[in-house]
Amino acid sequence: MGTRDFTIATLGSHSALQILKGAKDEGFPTLAICKKGATRTYQSFPVADEILVLPSFQEFFSIEVDLIRKNAIIIPHGSFVAYLGYQRVQQIKAHYFGNKDVLEWESNRDKERQWLTSAEVQVPKIFKNPDEIDRPVIVKFYGAQGGRGYFITSKKEDFERRIARHLGEQYVIQEYILGVPIYVHYFYSPLTKELEIMSCDIRYESNVDALGRIMARDQATFEKFDPSYVVIGNKPVVLRESLLNMMLEMGEKVVQASKNFTSKGLFGPFSLEGVITPDQHFIVFEISARIVAGTNPYIRGSPYTALRYDEPMSTGRRIAREIRLAIEQDRLQEVLG
Ligand code: AMP
Ligand code: AMP
């Protein structure tokens, strides 16, 4: 069997252009599964050999037999968990790249924290009780799309006044870490057991990233101002070189720790998302156990992949490369979940 006997398929959103382009570069036929009304992008850029249209992503399972017939290998990205939920992703019977079991650990805030702390990764302090608030905190609502409604406070009284608007909603009170929010993109190869840093990004979020353009004095003129963290785009960033050592160590520990709760452990692309403080600690508030859209600026590769590969290597292409090598070595099962 070779690459032409399979089809690389993904949902048409998030990082699909990159995934499909990378798959084509590695010699695979490609398929974009699009929501009705959202095909334009995937027709405009010539990366999908075929486009399947669904009324909504919720109907994903209605085409599963076609996917199995095509020997499709599904590449998950942010939209899979966002639109299908990790439980339904578990039910996918078509070939699926990556370990489905880790999705539950990244989707559940308590399990995610347990994973990170068992890997000795520093995480923000959590305040179980508002009486304990003794520093700036960020109050995050579960399932809040784009961080809508999140607020920052440092006093119990202010917290109680503001939380009153969110009756019945589940939330977490997390220490606010002042520093530079950074997203580090990794790839762990189950074939070679090697960890690679692929790239890093900074998000541009609306409307919080507009605040720096308005003086604090003038911010008060926005009476009903509510900050939100809706991601609009991603900016490339290259880390100070002396930070790479810490990032490599952290990535390795996270992969190692994942083997304690699933037999195959975490593999393929993943991201650590956190804040780097002035004393150069990386405090991690989230882990994504699949490709993140912050890799999109690097379709032609990043400064880090340029050091390792003599060809353009995006994270999407790196996924397809791993699948191609697995097929060639007759080890496909090792990269499927
Ligand atoms: P979308 O298909 O744009 O609705 O995005 C699906 C999920 O991925 C949502 O949870 C988004 O917040 C997230 N997402 C989409 N694009 C990006 C991006 N460029 N950076 C970070 N997250 C993203
Ligand atoms: P999240 O919904 O956890 O992805 O958080 C949305 C955004 O809030 C992130 O992209 C960061 O900019 C910011 N953020 C989240 N947690 C913290 C934290 N503990 N300290 C500082 N900023 C944070």
Side-chain angles (χ1 to χ4, degrees):
M1 297 265 265
T3 51
R4 308 293 320 163
D5 300 304
F6 294 87
T7 295
I8 296 291
T10 197
L11 299 182
S13 64
H14 190 268
S15 46
L17 292 171
Q18 181 197 157
I19 291 170
L20 300 173
K21 163 83 172 118
K24 273 184 101 66
D25 288 344
E26 292 298 308
F28 288 96
T30 55
L31 167 71
I33 303 159
C34 292
K35 242 183 337 201
K36 195 160 160 259
T39 52
R40 182 87 176 76
T41 306
Y42 304 93
Q43 285 159 341
S44 173
F45 299 102
V47 293
D49 295 318
E50 198 186 338
I51 296 177
L52 272 178
V53 183
L54 293 176
S56 79
F57 286 144
Q58 308 299 324
E59 311 293 315
F60 173 81
F61 288 93
S62 66
I63 52 152
E64 205 178 18
V65 276
D66 298 329
L67 296 175
I68 294 171
R69 195 169 35 78
K70 284 182 199 296
N71 229 2
I73 301 174
I74 314 277
I75 313 297
H77 54 55
S79 298
F80 278 78
V81 175
Y83 299 125
L84 292 178
Y86 79 87
Q87 281 115 330
R88 297 188 72 211
V89 172
Q90 297 276 4
Q91 292 158 12
I92 296 177
K93 292 197 193 65
H95 293 321
Y96 172 100
F97 176 80
N99 182 348
K100 288 180 199 154
D101 295 340
V102 294
L103 292 182
E104 184 187 354
W105 284 74
E106 67 140 60
S107 310
N108 175 313
R109 284 194 199 262
D110 294 333
K111 288 194 167 180
E112 182 180 40
R113 201 171 167 83
Q114 197 184 324
W115 177 4
L116 291 170
T117 49
S118 71
E120 294 167 10
V121 168
Q122 276 182 272
V123 293
K125 183 178 162 65
I126 297 279
F127 294 86
K128 290 234 162 69
N129 184 336
D131 290 332
E132 295 164 8
I133 299 175
D134 61 354
R135 65 191 83 181
V137 295
I138 179 166
V139 181
K140 299 184 183 184
F141 296 92
Y142 284 37
Q145 281 292 329
R148 280 211 173 79
Y150 286 12
F151 64 87
I152 294 167
T153 183
S154 59
K155 303 248 170 351
K156 182 189 162 200
E157 299 69 35
D158 183 53
F159 166 83
E160 284 180 341
R161 190 175 53 78
R162 294 165 76 176
I163 202 71
R165 288 168 54 189
H166 298 273
L167 265 182
E169 287 180 56
Q170 250 195 314
Y171 60 85
V172 60
I173 308 173
Q174 206 174 72
E175 170 185 14
Y176 189 86
I177 311 292
L178 201 52
V180 178
I182 292 280
Y183 295 70
V184 185
H185 321 139
Y186 297 90
F187 189 95
Y188 178 70
S189 164
L191 300 179
T192 64
K193 311 272 180 272
E194 214 185 321
L195 179 77
E196 298 167 36
I197 288 186
M198 301 300 293
S199 44
C200 304
D201 80 289
I202 292 184
R203 283 189 184 177
Y204 211 59
E205 294 167 331
S206 188
N207 53 19
V208 283
D209 286 318
L211 285 179
R213 303 169 55 144
I214 307 171
M215 287 168 70
R217 182 195 68 196
D218 297 337
Q219 285 174 16
T221 60
F222 293 86
E223 252 173 54
K224 290 225 170 79
F225 168 71
D226 272 321
S228 60
Y229 296 79
V230 177
V231 64
I232 299 302
N234 308 79
K235 300 195 276 193
V237 63
V238 175
L239 290 179
R240 181 174 172 168
E241 194 158 306
S242 52
L243 287 169
L244 291 176
N245 200 45
M246 170 176 76
M247 295 307 180
L248 284 165
E249 264 180 27
M250 284 171 87
E252 272 156 13
K253 284 186 176 165
V254 163
V255 171
Q256 203 47 45
S258 71
K259 293 182 179 152
N260 296 330
F261 56 85
T262 72
S263 56
K264 267 189 166 173
L266 170 70
F267 63 84
F270 68 98
S271 168
L272 290 181
E273 313 175 353
V275 175
I276 306 184
T277 58
D279 52 2
Q280 298 183 56
H281 288 288
F282 186 36
I283 319 293
V284 175
F285 54 77
E286 200 160 308
I287 178 167
S288 290
R290 35 85 193 160
I291 186 172
V292 290
T295 57
N296 284 340
Y298 304 108
I299 291 187
R300 299 286 299 169
S302 77
Y304 301 118
T305 62
L307 297 168
R308 187 182 290 268
Y309 299 95
D310 287 323
E311 56 198 327
M313 185 58 68
S314 66
T315 292
R317 184 170 186 183
R318 184 65 189 81
I319 294 171
R321 172 70 54 93
E322 192 76 0
I323 297 172
R324 176 162 75 73
L325 293 174
I327 294 168
E328 286 168 6
Q329 297 171 18
D330 203 13
R331 299 170 68 185
L332 186 59
Q333 283 314 318
E334 290 176 46
V335 305
L336 300 180

